[in-house]
Amino acid sequence: HPTPTTLPPHPSECLSAMMFPPSLASRTQRFERSLSLHRLLRLISFVTVVFFAIQLWSFAIVSSNAKHNLRFPPNHLHTKKRKTPAALQFSPACHPHYKVGIIGDNRTGSTTWSTSLPFTRIYFYHVRKAGGTMLRKFLKKVSLTHNIHLEIQENKYAREEIGSHPGTMYVSNLRDPVERSISHFKYEGRWNCRQMIKNASQYIPTLQNAKNVDDWDQTGGFVSSPCDQPFSFNECAVNCYIQSFSGHGCSRDDWKTQFTLAQERLFQYNLIFVYERFKDPNYVKAIEQFFGVDKAFNQESNYWCGPEAKQANRLYPLTTKFESILKLEHLNAMDTRFYKEAASCWDDDVAEYSFPKASADTFAPQNISKITGDAY
């Protein structure tokens, strides 16, 4: 066999060998591998940063939801479920109802619920400086329209047990705790309301005899609520809701026990009026239909010392420092949580009020109806 002839190298190979000698080609390959490794490390670093950023973002969302007790999505009708009491799964501010409480066992005090009994009486626990005077006037109209009894409780705590009076509808009112506290200060904390009425010629409100809002920082307004007796809602600046619905003015565990007691009581009510909703015409309509009256809500009403306090605050407007508001927010943290869990059940922009409407069988007229506990 003839010996194979070795072909000469292609001109391009010669040119490559001339331009890239073996040593230079090896360095080029090492550089390319190093560059690829550098790019890979940068990619891994970028993916790691993105991963941790997503984790932090998710944690912030979960923490925000837990902190502020955000609402359920719209398919839950803008409400929050509660585990207690078992028979009522929604806040009565969001889902008012016509269930009638009945004490079933005198030994345990357990409450059962009935939908077959009409209402013969309304019990209204009036929370001060949350639209309560207007609500008194409204509920009087309800009482007179249906010829049923009306019991109004103010100044003390919400002491009537659910179901202790047959056929009773239980209602109360709430407002943002800090806004309510400042309003209470302007009403009878800044100046002595009693003196403005009984000693008007001698006691004239001025900036010199006005009290400081920074001193309005106690459970009893300027002083602490007594621990050896039930809470009395006269003057109050801090955690007033928890005190009102638990009956206790002191706490040994940062208000946790009182919070639970107050919430269990409140969530057995039939309806909670929410002050911030009073200007919403749809809310007003839903409330009036719930009670079976027309054009009776938001009627102008006067209250004791109201004109005098308003005039004094018009002459000397209250200037509240940002630090003072932050201080009240901190002190009312538990009351704010209490308020939000009861009343934060609608979206800010769109609110749907799925309240039941009164029928001819909702209220049972009485031969003689009475309105008791009304101080003004």
Side-chain angles (χ1 to χ4, degrees), residues 103-358:
I103 294 182
D105 190 339
N106 292 329
R107 294 172 299 175
T108 62
S110 61
T111 303
T112 59
W113 301 93
S114 171
T115 57
S116 61
L117 295 177
F119 293 105
T120 59
R121 177 177 177 265
I122 295 176
Y123 172 84
F124 172 48
Y125 180 69
H126 177 174
V127 171
R128 309 192 72 190
K129 306 313 298 175
T133 303
M134 182 277 291
L135 293 174
R136 284 171 175 259
K137 189 172 184 178
F138 170 72
L139 292 172
K140 286 181 185 178
K141 176 69 177 294
V142 174
S143 172
L144 295 173
T145 299
H146 300 295
N147 201 27
I148 60 174
H149 304 303
L150 172 63
E151 174 75 21
I152 299 173
Q153 175 73 58
E154 188 186 2
N155 297 323
K156 303 295 183 180
Y157 69 98
R159 55 191 176 188
E160 181 166 313
E161 296 295 333
I162 308 299
S164 59
H165 288 71
T168 296
M169 174 186 287
Y170 292 87
V171 300
S172 189
N173 56 318
L174 293 178
R175 179 185 184 180
D176 177 86
V178 175
E179 294 290 335
R180 194 219 66 80
S181 182
I182 294 175
S183 178
H184 199 166
F185 171 77
K186 292 168 65 177
Y187 169 57
E188 62 179 351
R190 199 177 184 195
W191 292 284
N192 190 318
C193 234
R194 195 172 298 278
Q195 288 294 322
M196 282 195 288
I197 292 178
K198 293 188 175 182
N199 193 20
S201 61
Q202 300 295 325
Y203 185 85
I204 300 175
T206 64
L207 288 177
Q208 286 68 37
N209 61 12
K211 293 183 179 179
N212 193 335
V213 69
D214 290 332
D215 298 327
W216 181 259
D217 59 359
Q218 300 294 319
T219 50
F222 295 108
V223 298
S224 298
S225 300
C227 297
D228 57 350
Q229 55 186 329
F231 173 69
S232 183
F233 201 156
N234 293 316
E235 292 186 356
C236 181
V238 175
N239 288 336
C240 310
Y241 295 149
I242 295 176
Q243 295 183 88
S244 297
F245 290 99
S246 72
H248 301 286
C250 295
S251 174
R252 293 188 178 91
D253 58 358
D254 294 328
W255 299 102
K256 295 177 183 178
T257 299
Q258 287 74 18
F259 180 94
T260 301
L261 291 173
Q263 194 172 66
E264 286 178 353
R265 182 187 297 270
L266 181 72
F267 271 71
Q268 293 184 79
Y269 274 45
N270 294 92
L271 180 139
I272 302 298
F273 297 98
V274 181
Y275 178 87
E276 285 73 16
R277 293 286 163 178
F278 287 3
K279 294 183 179 180
D280 185 346
N282 293 326
Y283 181 81
V284 172
K285 181 178 179 181
I287 289 291
E288 291 180 338
Q289 290 178 340
F290 180 84
F291 286 98
V293 294
D294 186 36
K295 298 180 179 179
F297 200 78
N298 273 341
Q299 298 296 312
E300 185 178 354
S301 54
N302 294 318
Y303 51 93
W304 183 81
C305 195
E308 291 80 3
K310 287 181 179 179
Q311 176 64 15
N313 281 284
R314 275 194 294 265
L315 290 174
Y316 308 103
L318 176 67
T319 301
T320 308
K321 295 181 294 185
F322 182 65
E323 293 79 5
S324 302
I325 297 176
L326 287 180
K327 177 183 177 182
L328 282 175
E329 287 180 348
H330 174 71
L331 293 172
N332 280 284
M334 289 296 282
D335 240 22
T336 299
R337 176 187 166 191
F338 182 86
Y339 167 77
K340 287 185 175 181
E341 291 195 11
S344 298
C345 38
W346 301 286
D347 290 335
D348 293 335
D349 297 328
V350 180
E352 298 177 3
Y353 306 108
S354 53
F355 295 2
K357 300 177 182 179

Side-chain angles (χ1 to χ4, degrees), residues 1 3 29 42 65 130 132 201 221 265 322 363:
H1 299 285
T3 303
Q29 291 175 357
R42 288 182 61 186
N65 288 350
S201 61
R265 182 187 297 270
F322 182 65
F363 300 98

